[in-house]
Amino acid sequence: MTYLKQIFFTLGLFAVLTLSAQSNPPIKLYPNPASSFIRVEFNTIPSSPIQINISDILGNKIKTYNFNQDEFIEIDLSGLNLINGLYLVKVETENSMIIKRLIIKNK
């Protein structure tokens, strides 16, 4: 089941932003909030290699990781020296791209 929310706002031009939340998302990113590692799980095994980019909220790339499609994905965050806050995790395969929000909460 898909739930849609539409947000309308006006700044000289009319713009529409549609956000969708799926009850069965194609990937899981956990734990979230995280401090030392994250795991990425796919609902179905991708048919191509996987690239994962971690960026700050402004889009500045921090680190890129590459995985084979059948690999267990666990990323060690301890060497990245991330401060508490919001980050973006972009997961790309040959056929798809998904961006997830990641909250870093160091102990």
Side-chain angles (χ1 to χ4, degrees), residues 73-90:
I73 300 176
E74 182 172 291
I75 297 173
D76 180 11
L77 301 173
S78 59
L80 300 181
N81 299 318
L82 301 176
I83 60 172
N84 290 346
L86 184 62
Y87 294 83
L88 301 174
V89 178
K90 181 167 68 169

Side-chain angles (χ1 to χ4, degrees), residues 49-53 64-69 71 73 75 92:
I50 302 152
Q51 184 176 72
I52 297 178
N53 292 305
T64 298
Y65 300 90
N66 292 296
F67 297 93
N68 292 322
Q69 58 266 33
E71 271 185 89
I73 300 176
I75 297 173
E92 289 183 272

Side-chain angles (χ1 to χ4, degrees), residues 89-104:
V89 178
K90 181 167 68 169
V91 180
E92 289 183 272
T93 65
E94 185 176 279
N95 301 322
S96 68
M97 180 199 57
I98 298 168
I99 298 175
K100 292 283 205 175
R101 290 178 290 161
L102 170 65
I103 298 170
I104 296 296

Side-chain angles (χ1 to χ4, degrees), residues 1-3 21-28 42-44 98 100:
M1 183 183 302
T2 300
Y3 300 96
Q22 298 175 341
S23 60
N24 192 16
I27 67 166
K28 293 178 189 173
F42 288 82
N43 282 348
T44 59
I98 298 168
K100 292 283 205 175

Side-chain angles (χ1 to χ4, degrees), residues 12-13 31 33 47 64 92 107:
L13 296 172
S47 59
T64 298
E92 289 183 272
K107 298 173 182 173

Side-chain angles (χ1 to χ4, degrees), residues 53-63 86-89:
N53 292 305
I54 298 178
S55 304
D56 65 19
I57 195 64
L58 299 175
N60 300 311
K61 194 180 295 182
I62 296 169
K63 183 81 175 175
L86 184 62
Y87 294 83
L88 301 174
V89 178

